[in-house]
Amino acid sequence: MSLAALQLARSDAGHRRIDQVTATFEPGRLHVLIGPNGSGKTSLLQALAGDLAPDAGRVAWQGEDLSHLDRRRLARIRAVLPQQMPEHLPYMVGEIIELGRLPWAGEARATTRAAVLRAAQSTGVEEYLEVPYNRLSGGQRARVQLARVLAQLDGVPTPAVFLLDEPTAYFDPYWQHVCLRLARELAAAGHIVVCVLHELNLAAQYADCLYLMQAGRLVLSGSPEAVLNDARLDRVYGLRFSRLTDPDAPGSILLRGDPAVEGATPQA
């Protein structure tokens, strides 16, 4: 009962987006991809979603090649929150969230409404259901998009797959923590949850397992305490990190300036 990347590789125009990545993502854990810009996090997430075809290797869903699943079945087992959020859509908020129920076309209207309402309540946008999406702030629109993802897999048997690309990017600190608590709750319920995060202290606080990427490669994986205290983190980011001890979030880090680390190869 897992989602696995098996020797995944993908290149575009001579650029290696994913380079021989093998990793298994189990239910019940919050998996977080970290690494500099351009390190392959989003490409890996897209491949796990079935939206980016690998040149080599495969993605396996419960042992079955993900590419063998038809699009409707795929949409009923995995939901994706993309990095780029649409800013202008001519719909009401409730209609945007309801788009997540398209894979379940034909279900009772009351079932759809209940799924939309639960998702809206989870993300604090229930008061905006009849408000035009275009009138919302960036952070509010991001919460609507997160609600759409939650509505898509509302009530499905575990494990389903939630793939969240920088879900906290548009949020203030309060909603960053709410978002990641929701991710933890989905994992605790038995789902597979994979997130891309740039905020390493948030990753330290919420992740069960971290995956450090560089130049399309998976450099290091393990617990937050192990990964964030490894010297390879400094070299990958080209920064010197000061480690602070926090009993509630082992491995949490604090940036100390931006001097390059000897041997580092940070990416643009």
Side-chain angles (χ1 to χ4, degrees):
M1 303 292 281
S2 64
L3 181 70
L6 303 171
Q7 292 295 307
L8 280 186
R10 170 65 184 249
S11 297
D12 288 319
H15 171 64
R16 182 73 77 170
R17 295 174 63 177
I18 312 172
D19 191 355
Q20 299 298 314
V21 171
T22 293
T24 299
F25 304 94
E26 300 286 354
R29 310 188 78 197
L30 177 54
H31 306 270
V32 175
L33 309 180
I34 61 173
N37 293 336
S39 59
K41 303 182 300 298
T42 291
S43 295
L44 177 56
L45 205 74
Q46 291 172 341
L48 293 174
D51 294 332
L52 181 70
D55 298 325
R58 67 190 182 99
V59 176
W61 163 246
Q62 298 187 23
E64 182 178 1
D65 195 318
L66 196 72
S67 65
H68 295 167
L69 304 185
D70 65 65
R71 300 304 293 182
R72 182 166 184 177
R73 182 182 170 197
L74 187 59
R76 288 184 170 200
I77 62 172
R78 71 95 178 92
V80 182
L81 182 69
Q83 184 182 121
Q84 299 300 321
M85 182 184 65
E87 295 184 4
H88 302 291
L89 293 172
Y91 301 107
M92 298 297 182
V93 165
E95 294 173 320
I96 297 291
I97 301 173
E98 191 172 326
L99 290 175
R101 298 304 297 174
L102 286 177
W104 311 94
E107 70 180 356
R109 184 63 186 163
T111 303
T112 297
R113 285 198 300 267
V116 169
L117 182 58
R118 280 191 292 270
Q121 290 172 337
S122 294
T123 57
V125 295
E126 68 271 24
E127 64 184 287
Y128 305 122
L129 290 175
E130 300 301 323
V131 174
Y133 177 82
N134 294 341
R135 292 186 185 176
L136 301 183
S137 70
Q140 290 168 333
R141 289 196 297 267
R143 284 154 53 193
V144 172
Q145 293 297 330
L146 178 59
R148 174 187 56 77
V149 167
L150 296 176
Q152 180 177 335
L153 299 182
D154 180 84
V156 303
T158 57
V161 180
F162 292 84
L163 303 171
L164 313 175
D165 196 353
E166 296 188 38
T168 62
Y170 293 89
F171 292 152
D172 61 34
Y174 173 83
W175 282 104
Q176 287 179 342
H177 286 276
V178 171
C179 174
L180 293 175
R181 282 199 297 269
L182 284 171
R184 284 295 299 265
E185 289 169 5
L186 290 169
H191 295 297
I192 298 170
V193 186
V194 185
C195 292
V196 171
L197 287 180
H198 278 297
E199 300 87 350
L200 297 182
N201 285 306
L202 287 175
Q205 184 173 346
Y206 287 97
D208 293 301
C209 189
L210 293 182
Y211 303 79
L212 176 63
M213 298 195 67
Q214 180 185 34
R217 300 186 306 274
L218 179 57
V219 177
L220 179 67
S221 64
S223 69
E225 183 174 13
V227 172
L228 297 179
N229 281 296
D230 195 293
R232 281 171 284 187
L233 186 81
D234 302 60
R235 293 196 294 270
V236 166
Y237 279 96
L239 293 170
R240 181 170 290 110
F241 291 108
S242 296
R243 274 73 174 179
L244 301 181
T245 301
D246 182 347
D248 296 321
S252 61
I253 67 169
L254 174 68
L255 292 179
R256 186 182 69 197
D258 60 349
V261 175
E262 184 178 353
T265 55
Q267 294 171 255

